[in-house]
């Protein structure tokens, strides 16, 4: 059976679209959305730090001492740090998207030299700026439909 040439052309067009699909560009576009960045950073600020007082490893960052409670009655002894004493750290959180390096970096402005890098294909894990496993699952659930929409728009 011979496939008609117009069907072959359509098939080749679809194959070429797939071959030119740049998932890193798609991810960079998705993570460049300011609304999504705010949601990710709010997960760190509110869910992880304020509510739970945990690092990305879901480990309590530290607890307030009885002395701290005496100085500031709003901070109860033996409760987890919220990392919101002045708001400086929380307010300076930012996300940088680097399509060339194929990653996003969660960092803080200013003098602090703290950052965590999530590569699109391999993530590096460290410190308080990263997402907990639960929030990584949330993020995957959040961006999967966006990735699918972007791919469908290309195809």
């Amino acid at each position: 059976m011979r496939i008609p040439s117009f069907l072959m052309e359509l098939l080749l067009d679809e194959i070429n679209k797939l071959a030119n699909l740049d998932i890193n560009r798609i991810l960079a576009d998705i993570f460049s959305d300011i609304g999504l960045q705010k949601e990710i950073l709010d997960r760190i600020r509110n869910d992880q730090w304020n509510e739970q007082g945990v690092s990305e490893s879901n480990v309590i960052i530290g607890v307030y001492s009885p002395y701290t409670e005496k100085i500031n009655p709003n901070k109860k002894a033996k409760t987890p740090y919220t990392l919101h004493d002045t708001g400086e750290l929380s307010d300076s959180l930012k996300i940088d998207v680097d399509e060339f390096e194929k990653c996003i970096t969660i960092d803080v402005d200013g003098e602090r030299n703290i950052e965590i890098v999530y590569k699109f294909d391999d993530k590096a894990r460290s410190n308080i700026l990263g997402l907990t496993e639960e929030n990584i699952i949330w993020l995957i659930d959040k961006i999967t439909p966006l990735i699918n929409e972007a791919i469908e728009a290309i195809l």
Side-chain angles (χ1 to χ4, degrees):
M1 175 179 179
R2 185 180 161 128
I3 298 175
S5 62
F6 77 93
L7 284 178
M8 280 302 287
E9 282 183 42
L10 288 173
L11 183 58
L12 287 174
D13 281 349
E14 293 304 310
I15 290 171
N16 284 332
K17 287 178 188 175
L18 284 173
N20 292 322
L21 189 67
D22 185 352
I23 193 66
N24 293 319
R25 174 78 248 151
I26 290 170
L27 288 170
D29 287 346
I30 288 170
F31 282 110
S32 293
D33 180 84
I34 300 301
L36 178 62
Q37 289 182 15
K38 183 182 179 323
E39 284 185 71
I40 293 168
L41 297 179
D42 283 348
R43 285 281 179 153
I44 294 170
R45 289 181 192 114
N46 300 328
D47 179 50
Q48 291 176 204
W49 294 353
N50 252 2
E51 291 176 22
Q52 300 177 51
V54 297
S55 70
E56 68 174 20
S57 303
N58 215 16
V59 173
I60 301 244
I61 298 165
V63 294
Y64 293 114
S65 69
Y67 180 73
T68 303
E69 185 175 359
K70 285 180 185 175
I71 294 171
N72 184 345
N74 293 329
K75 297 177 182 178
K76 301 298 178 200
K78 299 182 183 177
T79 62
Y81 295 154
T82 63
L83 300 181
H84 195 70
D85 292 344
T86 65
E88 181 185 351
L89 177 68
S90 182
D91 293 344
S92 68
L93 275 176
K94 64 179 183 165
I95 292 179
D96 292 316
V97 179
D98 189 334
E99 182 183 356
F100 179 73
E101 292 292 328
K102 302 177 185 175
C103 66
I104 63 168
T105 303
I106 299 174
D107 200 354
V108 289
D109 288 332
E111 298 300 314
R112 295 178 177 85
N113 188 17
I114 314 170
E115 69 177 27
I116 182 159
V117 176
Y118 286 100
K119 294 202 177 259
F120 294 155
D121 55 355
D122 175 32
K123 64 180 182 285
R125 310 251 321 154
S126 65
N127 74 42
I128 61 172
L129 299 182
L131 293 164
T132 60
E133 201 168 307
E134 176 183 312
N135 281 329
I136 289 172
I137 292 167
W138 163 82
L139 182 58
I140 290 168
D141 289 344
K142 179 89 177 166
I143 67 170
T144 297
L146 301 173
I147 293 168
N148 292 336
E149 286 173 23
I151 291 171
E152 286 175 15
I154 292 168
L155 301 178

